[in-house]
Amino acid sequence: MSTLSSNPGPIGIFDSGYGGLTILHGIRRMLPQYDYLYLGDNARAPYGTRSFDVVYEFTRQAVMRLFDMGCHLVILGCNTASAKALRTIQQRDLPVTDPHRRVLGIIRPTAEVIGSITRSRHVGILATEGTIKSESYNLEITKLYPDIRVSGVACPFWVPLVEYNEGDSPGADYFVKKRIDQLMALDGEIDTIILGCTHYPLLMPKIRLYTPGDVTVVAQGDYVAASLKTYLQRHPDMERKCSIGGRVHYLTTENPDKFRESASIFLKEHVDVTNITL
């Protein structure tokens, strides 16, 4: 049994890099009253091409650090970590470290809403190579909605486009259009596309430009926030362990100045950030 503090603490948000900031933004907009602690493992990003074992170990280290810093609830604001590490942490680690703490992912909340969005029952996924190869979206969606057909395409250049602030450049058009065309060629009946990487909403103007007009594009932030709100309503014992104050602090394994600069792309605000080692 863990000896970690039982005092209320911030809600932890973890991502391998910056994309989870889009998840944090959606959560803060819907649930501004809570305190948040964001941890970006920027020094070891990206996770998308790493093996299951490596992603699990890196994610476990980050989760345990957030627990050590007072978080009772941690959200994996990263599709790759949700796909490759969440289940093992929930089933193997939490019962040993502290069965009263919780780690939640962002794939299932997105999968849950898809059934009410798609009309054709044909859904596309645009994500990193790791998330596509894991087939996590396919598994979660077909588990909930066996009648839905899921097709996915990996978009390896999309994350660098965002992180180097090239999302508005003419060069981005080629890479965005290429992957959307590839997805629609797999299944022309797709009427809903999930952006299965938290970086991708920052490419939304170009994604909409090259997506057929009758196709709905689903970004995760608002759906994850709504799911978290429902979770806390259903689990008042956990809600009481989330401190109130509207504060947010950022941690990075990379240079803090670099994090501040890049975070401004995602949040359009100055952030208070501290360097840590995992």
Side-chain angles (χ1 to χ4, degrees):
M1 181 67 67
S2 172
T3 58
L4 297 171
S5 170
S6 59
N7 295 328
I11 296 172
I13 312 283
F14 168 69
D15 184 29
S16 58
Y18 302 103
L21 294 170
T22 63
I23 299 296
L24 174 62
H25 177 70
I27 291 174
R28 284 177 67 197
R29 196 165 53 186
M30 186 170 290
L31 300 167
Q33 68 271 35
Y34 298 107
D35 295 325
Y36 297 96
L37 185 58
Y38 182 92
L39 170 53
D41 188 12
N42 307 86
R44 301 189 293 195
Y47 281 15
T49 56
R50 293 187 183 271
S51 69
F52 272 74
D53 289 344
V54 169
V55 171
Y56 159 69
E57 182 55 31
F58 286 0
T59 304
R60 187 190 66 79
Q61 291 170 1
V63 167
M64 295 307 157
R65 176 59 66 88
L66 288 169
F67 284 170
D68 287 342
M69 299 184 78
C71 300
H72 297 271
L73 174 64
V74 173
I75 312 296
L76 302 185
C78 171
N79 284 277
T80 303
S82 295
K84 294 184 174 183
L86 176 63
R87 189 154 308 200
T88 306
I89 289 173
Q90 288 176 332
Q91 295 178 356
R92 191 166 78 191
D93 295 308
L94 289 184
V96 176
T97 57
D98 190 334
H100 302 293
R101 295 184 190 248
R102 294 289 178 267
V103 180
L104 305 176
I106 58 175
I107 291 177
R108 186 172 180 87
T110 311
E112 287 174 344
V113 301
I114 286 302
S116 62
I117 297 174
T118 176
R119 303 169 306 282
S120 69
R121 317 309 277 177
H122 291 251
V123 172
I125 314 289
L126 295 170
T128 64
E129 182 182 356
T131 298
I132 294 297
K133 283 187 174 179
S134 75
E135 297 194 338
S136 294
Y137 274 100
N138 308 53
L139 294 170
E140 288 292 344
I141 291 172
T142 53
K143 192 189 305 177
L144 295 166
Y145 309 104
D147 62 315
I148 292 181
R149 174 180 170 181
V150 182
S151 304
V153 166
C155 308
F157 294 105
W158 287 21
V159 168
L161 284 172
V162 172
E163 294 204 344
Y164 287 101
N165 206 14
E166 293 290 334
D168 293 329
S169 69
D173 290 70
Y174 169 80
F175 294 106
V176 172
K177 182 178 186 301
K178 179 179 180 180
R179 298 307 176 186
I180 292 172
D181 288 350
Q182 186 180 345
L183 180 63
M184 297 307 296
L186 283 178
D187 182 357
E189 295 185 60
I190 288 172
D191 75 345
T192 305
I193 294 177
I194 297 171
L195 302 184
C197 173
T198 51
H199 282 68
Y200 295 177
L202 276 78
L203 294 171
M204 189 66 85
K206 292 202 185 298
I207 291 171
R208 292 201 189 281
L209 181 63
Y210 295 110
T211 300
D214 58 346
V215 173
T216 302
V217 179
V218 175
Q220 296 174 287
D222 291 341
Y223 297 109
V224 172
S227 179
L228 177 58
K229 182 178 181 180
T230 301
Y231 177 85
L232 292 173
Q233 289 170 344
R234 290 177 177 171
H235 299 85
D237 54 329
M238 179 56 71
E239 195 278 334
R240 287 191 292 271
K241 294 178 183 177
C242 299
S243 57
I244 303 290
R247 297 174 291 264
V248 58
H249 189 75
Y250 300 86
L251 307 170
T252 179
T253 56
E254 180 57 275
N255 180 289
D257 291 333
K258 184 176 187 303
F259 184 93
R260 280 189 205 97
E261 181 182 342
S262 296
S264 67
I265 298 170
F266 290 82
L267 297 176
K268 311 298 184 193
E269 65 180 70
H270 177 79
V271 301
D272 175 23
V273 60
T274 304
N275 172 260
I276 65 165
T277 302
L278 293 177

PDB file of all heavy atoms in Angstrom, residues 76-98:
ATOM      1  N   LEU A  76      -3.846  10.524 -19.033  1.00  0.00           N
ATOM      2  CA  LEU A  76      -2.833  10.374 -20.081  1.00  0.00           C
ATOM      3  C   LEU A  76      -3.317  11.149 -21.297  1.00  0.00           C
ATOM      4  O   LEU A  76      -4.093  10.647 -22.110  1.00  0.00           O
ATOM      5  CB  LEU A  76      -2.612   8.897 -20.427  1.00  0.00           C
ATOM      6  CG  LEU A  76      -2.172   7.976 -19.274  1.00  0.00           C
ATOM      7  CD1 LEU A  76      -1.879   6.575 -19.813  1.00  0.00           C
ATOM      8  CD2 LEU A  76      -0.962   8.530 -18.539  1.00  0.00           C
ATOM      9  N   GLY A  77      -2.884  12.397 -21.401  1.00  0.00           N
ATOM     10  CA  GLY A  77      -3.327  13.264 -22.502  1.00  0.00           C
ATOM     11  C   GLY A  77      -2.539  13.000 -23.757  1.00  0.00           C
ATOM     12  O   GLY A  77      -2.176  13.926 -24.490  1.00  0.00           O
ATOM     13  N   CYS A  78      -2.277  11.742 -24.029  1.00  0.00           N
ATOM     14  CA  CYS A  78      -1.407  11.301 -25.118  1.00  0.00           C
ATOM     15  C   CYS A  78      -2.002  10.017 -25.683  1.00  0.00           C
ATOM     16  O   CYS A  78      -2.220   9.053 -24.937  1.00  0.00           O
ATOM     17  CB  CYS A  78      -0.008  11.050 -24.568  1.00  0.00           C
ATOM     18  SG  CYS A  78       1.160  10.263 -25.707  1.00  0.00           S
ATOM     19  N   ASN A  79      -2.289  10.004 -26.961  1.00  0.00           N
ATOM     20  CA  ASN A  79      -2.882   8.820 -27.571  1.00  0.00           C
ATOM     21  C   ASN A  79      -1.940   7.628 -27.538  1.00  0.00           C
ATOM     22  O   ASN A  79      -2.359   6.497 -27.311  1.00  0.00           O
ATOM     23  CB  ASN A  79      -3.304   9.127 -29.009  1.00  0.00           C
ATOM     24  CG  ASN A  79      -4.562   9.946 -29.079  1.00  0.00           C
ATOM     25  OD1 ASN A  79      -5.663   9.430 -28.998  1.00  0.00           O
ATOM     26  ND2 ASN A  79      -4.416  11.248 -29.219  1.00  0.00           N
ATOM     27  N   THR A  80      -0.642   7.876 -27.778  1.00  0.00           N
ATOM     28  CA  THR A  80       0.310   6.769 -27.786  1.00  0.00           C
ATOM     29  C   THR A  80       0.402   6.121 -26.408  1.00  0.00           C
ATOM     30  O   THR A  80       0.380   4.894 -26.278  1.00  0.00           O
ATOM     31  CB  THR A  80       1.699   7.248 -28.242  1.00  0.00           C
ATOM     32  OG1 THR A  80       1.584   7.842 -29.544  1.00  0.00           O
ATOM     33  CG2 THR A  80       2.678   6.097 -28.304  1.00  0.00           C
ATOM     34  N   ALA A  81       0.504   6.932 -25.365  1.00  0.00           N
ATOM     35  CA  ALA A  81       0.551   6.398 -24.004  1.00  0.00           C
ATOM     36  C   ALA A  81      -0.752   5.699 -23.641  1.00  0.00           C
ATOM     37  O   ALA A  81      -0.750   4.641 -22.990  1.00  0.00           O
ATOM     38  CB  ALA A  81       0.853   7.516 -23.012  1.00  0.00           C
ATOM     39  N   SER A  82      -1.882   6.274 -24.070  1.00  0.00           N
ATOM     40  CA  SER A  82      -3.182   5.640 -23.809  1.00  0.00           C
ATOM     41  C   SER A  82      -3.271   4.290 -24.508  1.00  0.00           C
ATOM     42  O   SER A  82      -3.823   3.325 -23.974  1.00  0.00           O
ATOM     43  CB  SER A  82      -4.319   6.551 -24.281  1.00  0.00           C
ATOM     44  OG  SER A  82      -4.361   7.751 -23.532  1.00  0.00           O
ATOM     45  N   ALA A  83      -2.691   4.218 -25.719  1.00  0.00           N
ATOM     46  CA  ALA A  83      -2.764   2.989 -26.499  1.00  0.00           C
ATOM     47  C   ALA A  83      -1.817   1.914 -25.985  1.00  0.00           C
ATOM     48  O   ALA A  83      -2.167   0.731 -25.950  1.00  0.00           O
ATOM     49  CB  ALA A  83      -2.446   3.286 -27.973  1.00  0.00           C
ATOM     50  N   LYS A  84      -0.623   2.328 -25.561  1.00  0.00           N
ATOM     51  CA  LYS A  84       0.425   1.352 -25.272  1.00  0.00           C
ATOM     52  C   LYS A  84       0.688   1.107 -23.785  1.00  0.00           C
ATOM     53  O   LYS A  84       1.361   0.131 -23.446  1.00  0.00           O
ATOM     54  CB  LYS A  84       1.735   1.793 -25.926  1.00  0.00           C
ATOM     55  CG  LYS A  84       1.698   1.793 -27.446  1.00  0.00           C
ATOM     56  CD  LYS A  84       3.069   2.150 -28.025  1.00  0.00           C
ATOM     57  CE  LYS A  84       3.107   2.017 -29.539  1.00  0.00           C
ATOM     58  NZ  LYS A  84       4.443   2.286 -30.098  1.00  0.00           N
ATOM     59  N   ALA A  85       0.211   1.980 -22.910  1.00  0.00           N
ATOM     60  CA  ALA A  85       0.593   1.862 -21.500  1.00  0.00           C
ATOM     61  C   ALA A  85      -0.572   1.848 -20.517  1.00  0.00           C
ATOM     62  O   ALA A  85      -0.432   1.313 -19.417  1.00  0.00           O
ATOM     63  CB  ALA A  85       1.541   3.010 -21.133  1.00  0.00           C
ATOM     64  N   LEU A  86      -1.697   2.439 -20.878  1.00  0.00           N
ATOM     65  CA  LEU A  86      -2.780   2.643 -19.918  1.00  0.00           C
ATOM     66  C   LEU A  86      -3.246   1.348 -19.261  1.00  0.00           C
ATOM     67  O   LEU A  86      -3.330   1.250 -18.033  1.00  0.00           O
ATOM     68  CB  LEU A  86      -3.964   3.332 -20.609  1.00  0.00           C
ATOM     69  CG  LEU A  86      -5.215   3.526 -19.738  1.00  0.00           C
ATOM     70  CD1 LEU A  86      -4.922   4.446 -18.563  1.00  0.00           C
ATOM     71  CD2 LEU A  86      -6.374   4.081 -20.569  1.00  0.00           C
ATOM     72  N   ARG A  87      -3.557   0.350 -20.063  1.00  0.00           N
ATOM     73  CA  ARG A  87      -4.145  -0.871 -19.515  1.00  0.00           C
ATOM     74  C   ARG A  87      -3.199  -1.557 -18.532  1.00  0.00           C
ATOM     75  O   ARG A  87      -3.627  -2.026 -17.474  1.00  0.00           O
ATOM     76  CB  ARG A  87      -4.519  -1.826 -20.654  1.00  0.00           C
ATOM     77  CG  ARG A  87      -5.331  -3.007 -20.205  1.00  0.00           C
ATOM     78  CD  ARG A  87      -6.193  -3.537 -21.326  1.00  0.00           C
ATOM     79  NE  ARG A  87      -6.989  -2.489 -21.938  1.00  0.00           N
ATOM     80  CZ  ARG A  87      -8.074  -2.707 -22.656  1.00  0.00           C
ATOM     81  NH1 ARG A  87      -8.507  -3.929 -22.843  1.00  0.00           N
ATOM     82  NH2 ARG A  87      -8.741  -1.720 -23.209  1.00  0.00           N
ATOM     83  N   THR A  88      -1.910  -1.607 -18.876  1.00  0.00           N
ATOM     84  CA  THR A  88      -0.941  -2.262 -17.996  1.00  0.00           C
ATOM     85  C   THR A  88      -0.823  -1.511 -16.674  1.00  0.00           C
ATOM     86  O   THR A  88      -0.760  -2.111 -15.598  1.00  0.00           O
ATOM     87  CB  THR A  88       0.437  -2.353 -18.672  1.00  0.00           C
ATOM     88  OG1 THR A  88       0.294  -2.989 -19.940  1.00  0.00           O
ATOM     89  CG2 THR A  88       1.411  -3.153 -17.836  1.00  0.00           C
ATOM     90  N   ILE A  89      -0.794  -0.180 -16.750  1.00  0.00           N
ATOM     91  CA  ILE A  89      -0.713   0.621 -15.523  1.00  0.00           C
ATOM     92  C   ILE A  89      -1.955   0.400 -14.664  1.00  0.00           C
ATOM     93  O   ILE A  89      -1.863   0.212 -13.437  1.00  0.00           O
ATOM     94  CB  ILE A  89      -0.538   2.112 -15.868  1.00  0.00           C
ATOM     95  CG1 ILE A  89       0.865   2.353 -16.438  1.00  0.00           C
ATOM     96  CG2 ILE A  89      -0.780   2.987 -14.640  1.00  0.00           C
ATOM     97  CD1 ILE A  89       1.097   3.755 -16.964  1.00  0.00           C
ATOM     98  N   GLN A  90      -3.120   0.398 -15.287  1.00  0.00           N
ATOM     99  CA  GLN A  90      -4.369   0.205 -14.531  1.00  0.00           C
ATOM    100  C   GLN A  90      -4.437  -1.172 -13.891  1.00  0.00           C
ATOM    101  O   GLN A  90      -4.856  -1.311 -12.733  1.00  0.00           O
ATOM    102  CB  GLN A  90      -5.575   0.415 -15.453  1.00  0.00           C
ATOM    103  CG  GLN A  90      -5.821   1.856 -15.849  1.00  0.00           C
ATOM    104  CD  GLN A  90      -6.969   1.985 -16.846  1.00  0.00           C
ATOM    105  OE1 GLN A  90      -7.247   1.071 -17.617  1.00  0.00           O
ATOM    106  NE2 GLN A  90      -7.633   3.123 -16.842  1.00  0.00           N
ATOM    107  N   GLN A  91      -4.051  -2.188 -14.630  1.00  0.00           N
ATOM    108  CA  GLN A  91      -4.253  -3.560 -14.167  1.00  0.00           C
ATOM    109  C   GLN A  91      -3.099  -4.104 -13.339  1.00  0.00           C
ATOM    110  O   GLN A  91      -3.314  -4.912 -12.436  1.00  0.00           O
ATOM    111  CB  GLN A  91      -4.502  -4.472 -15.373  1.00  0.00           C
ATOM    112  CG  GLN A  91      -5.792  -4.146 -16.114  1.00  0.00           C
ATOM    113  CD  GLN A  91      -6.015  -5.019 -17.343  1.00  0.00           C
ATOM    114  OE1 GLN A  91      -5.162  -5.839 -17.702  1.00  0.00           O
ATOM    115  NE2 GLN A  91      -7.154  -4.853 -17.988  1.00  0.00           N
ATOM    116  N   ARG A  92      -1.872  -3.635 -13.629  1.00  0.00           N
ATOM    117  CA  ARG A  92      -0.710  -4.229 -12.960  1.00  0.00           C
ATOM    118  C   ARG A  92      -0.101  -3.324 -11.896  1.00  0.00           C
ATOM    119  O   ARG A  92       0.301  -3.787 -10.827  1.00  0.00           O
ATOM    120  CB  ARG A  92       0.359  -4.583 -14.003  1.00  0.00           C
ATOM    121  CG  ARG A  92       1.490  -5.451 -13.437  1.00  0.00           C
ATOM    122  CD  ARG A  92       2.316  -6.046 -14.557  1.00  0.00           C
ATOM    123  NE  ARG A  92       3.254  -5.067 -15.122  1.00  0.00           N
ATOM    124  CZ  ARG A  92       3.936  -5.282 -16.241  1.00  0.00           C
ATOM    125  NH1 ARG A  92       3.771  -6.394 -16.927  1.00  0.00           N
ATOM    126  NH2 ARG A  92       4.780  -4.365 -16.697  1.00  0.00           N
ATOM    127  N   ASP A  93      -0.031  -2.035 -12.177  1.00  0.00           N
ATOM    128  CA  ASP A  93       0.683  -1.131 -11.269  1.00  0.00           C
ATOM    129  C   ASP A  93      -0.182  -0.540 -10.162  1.00  0.00           C
ATOM    130  O   ASP A  93       0.221  -0.533  -8.994  1.00  0.00           O
ATOM    131  CB  ASP A  93       1.342   0.000 -12.072  1.00  0.00           C
ATOM    132  CG  ASP A  93       2.425  -0.519 -13.003  1.00  0.00           C
ATOM    133  OD1 ASP A  93       3.312  -1.236 -12.520  1.00  0.00           O
ATOM    134  OD2 ASP A  93       2.363  -0.223 -14.210  1.00  0.00           O
ATOM    135  N   LEU A  94      -1.362  -0.020 -10.512  1.00  0.00           N
ATOM    136  CA  LEU A  94      -2.190   0.656  -9.513  1.00  0.00           C
ATOM    137  C   LEU A  94      -2.575  -0.240  -8.335  1.00  0.00           C
ATOM    138  O   LEU A  94      -2.549   0.220  -7.186  1.00  0.00           O
ATOM    139  CB  LEU A  94      -3.442   1.257 -10.161  1.00  0.00           C
ATOM    140  CG  LEU A  94      -3.212   2.480 -11.058  1.00  0.00           C
ATOM    141  CD1 LEU A  94      -4.539   3.029 -11.563  1.00  0.00           C
ATOM    142  CD2 LEU A  94      -2.445   3.564 -10.322  1.00  0.00           C
ATOM    143  N   PRO A  95      -2.936  -1.508  -8.560  1.00  0.00           N
ATOM    144  CA  PRO A  95      -3.297  -2.349  -7.406  1.00  0.00           C
ATOM    145  C   PRO A  95      -2.147  -2.485  -6.407  1.00  0.00           C
ATOM    146  O   PRO A  95      -2.386  -2.714  -5.216  1.00  0.00           O
ATOM    147  CB  PRO A  95      -3.622  -3.708  -8.055  1.00  0.00           C
ATOM    148  CG  PRO A  95      -4.060  -3.366  -9.440  1.00  0.00           C
ATOM    149  CD  PRO A  95      -3.169  -2.223  -9.837  1.00  0.00           C
ATOM    150  N   VAL A  96      -0.911  -2.324  -6.881  1.00  0.00           N
ATOM    151  CA  VAL A  96       0.259  -2.472  -6.005  1.00  0.00           C
ATOM    152  C   VAL A  96       0.663  -1.132  -5.392  1.00  0.00           C
ATOM    153  O   VAL A  96       0.924  -1.036  -4.196  1.00  0.00           O
ATOM    154  CB  VAL A  96       1.452  -3.062  -6.795  1.00  0.00           C
ATOM    155  CG1 VAL A  96       2.702  -3.122  -5.926  1.00  0.00           C
ATOM    156  CG2 VAL A  96       1.099  -4.439  -7.334  1.00  0.00           C
ATOM    157  N   THR A  97       0.729  -0.085  -6.217  1.00  0.00           N
ATOM    158  CA  THR A  97       1.213   1.210  -5.726  1.00  0.00           C
ATOM    159  C   THR A  97       0.177   1.908  -4.863  1.00  0.00           C
ATOM    160  O   THR A  97       0.488   2.389  -3.781  1.00  0.00           O
ATOM    161  CB  THR A  97       1.592   2.132  -6.896  1.00  0.00           C
ATOM    162  OG1 THR A  97       0.455   2.294  -7.763  1.00  0.00           O
ATOM    163  CG2 THR A  97       2.736   1.554  -7.692  1.00  0.00           C
ATOM    164  N   ASP A  98      -1.048   1.989  -5.328  1.00  0.00           N
ATOM    165  CA  ASP A  98      -2.131   2.616  -4.556  1.00  0.00           C
ATOM    166  C   ASP A  98      -3.454   2.389  -5.283  1.00  0.00           C
ATOM    167  O   ASP A  98      -3.742   3.056  -6.273  1.00  0.00           O
ATOM    168  CB  ASP A  98      -1.886   4.113  -4.387  1.00  0.00           C
ATOM    169  CG  ASP A  98      -2.845   4.755  -3.396  1.00  0.00           C
ATOM    170  OD1 ASP A  98      -3.963   4.209  -3.214  1.00  0.00           O
ATOM    171  OD2 ASP A  98      -2.497   5.779  -2.799  1.00  0.00           O
TER     172      ASP A  98
END
